[in-house]
Amino acid sequence: MDFQLSLSSESVGATQPDPPLATTPDEPLANVLGLLRAQKQAAVMICEGPQLVGIFTERDALKLLAAGSDLSAPVSSAMSTDLMTIAKDTTVGAAIRLMSEGGYRHLPVVDGDRSPSGVVAVRGIVHYLVEHFPDAVYTQSPSGDRPHAEREGA
């Protein structure tokens, strides 16, 4: 399939979004950090009932730890509430554009009532691109100025 056609027609489901890891706004930060570590995830969806109200990412955790914050405080004190979300039928190209323009590394996938059903991560997008378009990925020059005729590397 053509690279541009695929990005504009395939949904983010093709990137194999991570299942949502969720908790409540009153969960202590120490517990949320433990959850991230135990589940080997980079983002936790913060939900009130089934509805997404925030996200806490590894980037938030680094800021928190660098500031020496109180880890007994609720995650609501450190979560991001200005959320960019996408629907499961959002195209891969639209997700890449949103991530690039907004500087997001994780986009929650939500249904009509803002209930999270997954998380699209940069890692998943990269795996999708490598898997579906190896020639386009592997033949790029390191400087990005022009593609090589053959794949580089081992």
Side-chain angles (χ1 to χ4, degrees), residues 28-149:
L29 286 163
N31 293 358
V32 175
L33 291 172
L35 185 62
L36 284 171
R37 182 173 178 228
Q39 298 297 317
K40 296 183 175 144
Q41 294 285 339
V44 175
M45 305 299 106
I46 313 301
C47 299
E48 286 182 347
Q51 193 171 51
L52 181 68
V53 295
I55 187 171
F56 183 81
T57 68
E58 60 191 357
R59 190 180 292 173
D60 297 322
L62 290 173
K63 290 177 190 173
L64 174 75
L65 294 171
S69 298
D70 177 13
L71 298 182
S72 64
V75 70
S76 61
S77 67
M79 70 183 187
S80 299
T81 57
D82 186 22
L83 299 173
M84 175 61 64
T85 62
I86 57 175
K88 65 180 179 180
D89 61 351
T90 300
T91 64
V92 174
I96 291 171
R97 199 169 19 268
L98 283 171
M99 293 174 116
S100 177
E101 291 170 358
Y104 306 114
R105 297 187 319 167
H106 303 91
L107 287 175
V109 180
V110 296
D111 57 23
D113 64 351
R114 287 190 55 90
S115 179
S117 62
V119 181
V120 173
V122 168
R123 172 183 28 84
I125 298 280
V126 170
H127 285 279
Y128 167 84
L129 294 172
V130 170
E131 183 178 313
H132 288 81
F133 309 104
D135 290 338
V137 173
Y138 289 129
T139 58
Q140 295 297 309
S141 72
S143 63
D145 55 356
R146 62 181 166 75
H148 289 284

